[in-house]
Structures are given as C-alpha cells and as structure tokens.
Amino acid sequence: ENFTTLLYTIKFECPEQPASAKMLPMELRERTVQRSVCQMVCLIAAQFVFLMSGAAVFMWLERGTAQEGYRKTLVALTEVRMTLNLTKHQEAVLQDAFGKGFSFSDETLPPAAEHAWDFISTLYFSITSTTTIGYGHSSPETAHGQIFCILFSLMGIPLHMVTLGSIGKHLSSLVSRFLDWAAGRYMVKGQGRKDIGTFLVTSSLLGLFVIFSAGSVRLVMGDVSYVEAIYFIYVTISTIGFGDFVIRFEQHEDYNRVMILIMWAVSLYVGMTLLSATIVSISARAR
C-alpha cells in the first residue's frame, strides 16, 4: 500500500518539469546559439536603419547652411580679388577659401560645395559620430543640427557598442570552437592553451587586416606612405580619430564616393570587430 501511494505521489503530485529541463544539453546549446545569432542580426539591422535615418536628418538640417557658407566665401573671395591690398581678415578669408577648394582665379563654387552635407557626407558623419571616431573635419553649424547630434549620439553610441560587442563575442566564440575541434583532433588539452590560441588567431587576423587594408587606403587617399596608411587604419578602428588623416569624399566623383564609403564602412566594422574579438580573448585569459 505504501509503494502504491508513493507512485501516485510521483505521478500526480510532482510538478511538471519545464521544457528546457527536458532538453538534451546539445539541443539547449543549439537553441541558445540560435537566439544569440538572431539577436546579433537584429542589432546589425537596427544600427543600419538608425545610421541611414540619422544621415537623412543631418542632411536636412545642415546642407542648406553649408551651401550658403560656400556662397558667402565666394563673395568674400571676389572682394579680396578686387582689392589686392590684403588685410589680415582678407588673408584669413583666402586661407579658409583655399582650404575649401576655392581657386583665386575662378569665380565659381568648388566641387566640394555641391557635396557639402549631402547624403554620402552625412552618412559618413553619422558613422564617425556613433563609433566615436570624430575626425573633426566637419561638424554641425546650426543649433538644430547640434541638438540633433547630441540626441543622435546618445542613442547611437550605446547601440553601436552593444552591436560591436555582440559581433566580437560571436567571432571569439567561433575561433574558440575551432580551437576546441583542433584540440580534440590533435589531442591537445588545457583551457589556458585554448585562451592563448584564441588571442593568437584574432590578433593575427587583425594584423593581416591592417596590413592588407593599407594598400586600399593608399589608393583612396593618394599621397600617403604605407606607414601613414597603417597608422590611419589603426587610429580609425581604435576610435582615437586624431583627424590628421581623413578621407575627403568631396574630391571624388559620385560613383566613386559611394564605392569608397561602402569600402571604408565595411573595413571599419570588420577592423573594429577583430579588435573587439582580440580584446574579448584577452579579458577571457585575464579571468
């Protein structure tokens, strides 16, 4: 009788186990990985939409003011050309005009005026703002643009950091799994060796990326040395962004500007992902 009562209690009175508890470890791990990958893809999509929207708003807020600034500079340059007896203010006007691409003998706006704060330029600015690179080569001049820049970066910087961290974590995990497979095949054991291996793989990929990307940078930027190209890449992907070397999109044709922006953006996020994965592997080793 006692044995029957015990069976009844087990069958009818014990709470039902959750579905996750019934899963095999491999099934639970696969579902966790799928959920994590889905979250990463959603973050990437959200950041893409966020950057495109921000670029459109910046173009709407700043483009008119920038074009008006170019027209005022052209008028001032014309006045300077007529006087020839230059004051310090006129010398400053000339210096500013030449920096914007004006010619002393030409009475037309430079090509850079047409591209000032257009969609390509504002998308470039949006990416440098949310990634905290901030080269400093351009900035909002209107009050509305400056206020929007504050709000845009307040939302965009955390979104970028979460997305980058998620991608870097997945890359580091992928390398770690590859090393687990290699260790199992070649009978190598030890968590410490795996952590060192993850660091070596990610840092090697980062180094190769910087070395090979330097050639593309030299093609786009022109008169820079190979060392300066490597320096520019590192300063960019580490978000130091001194601004001493900057890609000038206004100096290229429209088709080339689009291709250069795509190439630069892809290289930027690949480089930052590799750097993030390397840092993740270092922190895992430190723990």
Side-chain angles (χ1 to χ4, degrees), residues 198-272:
T198 303
F199 167 73
L200 290 176
V201 171
T202 54
S203 59
S204 298
L205 290 174
L206 177 62
L208 290 173
F209 164 80
V210 172
I211 291 172
F212 285 108
S213 297
S216 300
V217 170
R218 293 191 68 191
L219 289 175
V220 173
M221 299 184 68
D223 55 346
V224 294
S225 67
Y226 197 78
V227 174
E228 288 173 335
I230 292 177
Y231 164 78
F232 167 74
I233 293 170
Y234 175 75
V235 167
T236 298
I237 65 176
S238 62
T239 70
I240 296 174
F242 289 125
D244 46 355
F245 293 97
V246 179
I247 296 178
R248 299 289 182 180
F249 286 92
E250 64 272 10
Q251 298 176 356
H252 301 273
E253 299 295 331
D254 289 341
Y255 173 77
N256 292 333
R257 293 174 73 232
V258 174
M259 297 305 297
I260 290 171
L261 178 62
I262 293 174
M263 181 180 68
W264 173 82
V266 170
S267 300
L268 171 66
Y269 284 106
V270 169
M272 295 183 75

Side-chain angles (χ1 to χ4, degrees), residues 147-163:
I147 293 173
F148 178 73
C149 184
I150 294 173
L151 299 176
F152 180 76
S153 60
L154 281 175
M155 293 182 290
I157 292 174
L159 177 61
H160 165 74
M161 293 177 66
V162 171
T163 305

Side-chain angles (χ1 to χ4, degrees), residues 56-76:
V57 174
F58 276 122
M59 182 175 67
W60 175 60
L61 292 173
E62 294 294 325
R63 183 166 172 79
T65 301
Q67 299 249 328
E68 181 63 26
Y70 274 100
R71 285 190 287 268
K72 289 181 179 179
T73 302
L74 179 60
V75 172

Side-chain angles (χ1 to χ4, degrees), residues 168-204:
K169 182 179 178 181
H170 278 83
L171 178 60
S172 181
S173 176
L174 184 64
V175 173
S176 180
R177 290 183 185 179
F178 169 76
L179 292 176
D180 283 339
W181 171 82
R185 182 167 183 174
Y186 297 102
M187 304 299 292
V188 178
K189 297 182 179 180
Q191 179 65 30
R193 291 185 179 181
K194 188 180 77 170
D195 291 339
I196 294 175
T198 303
F199 167 73
L200 290 176
V201 171
T202 54
S203 59
S204 298

Side-chain angles (χ1 to χ4, degrees), residues 42-99:
C42 290
L43 285 171
I44 294 173
Q47 183 162 13
F48 176 78
V49 173
F50 184 79
L51 288 172
M52 299 292 283
S53 302
V57 174
F58 276 122
M59 182 175 67
W60 175 60
L61 292 173
E62 294 294 325
R63 183 166 172 79
T65 301
Q67 299 249 328
E68 181 63 26
Y70 274 100
R71 285 190 287 268
K72 289 181 179 179
T73 302
L74 179 60
V75 172
L77 184 61
T78 303
E79 293 177 356
V80 171
R81 190 186 298 110
M82 293 175 63
T83 61
L84 293 179
N85 187 15
L86 303 179
T87 64
K88 288 187 176 181
H89 171 71
Q90 291 170 333
E91 290 177 0
V93 169
L94 278 178
Q95 186 177 2
D96 179 63
F98 294 149

Side-chain angles (χ1 to χ4, degrees), residues 7-19:
L7 288 177
Y8 179 88
T9 303
I10 293 174
K11 184 175 182 180
F12 296 101
E13 295 184 7
C14 289
E16 188 73 16
Q17 290 183 329

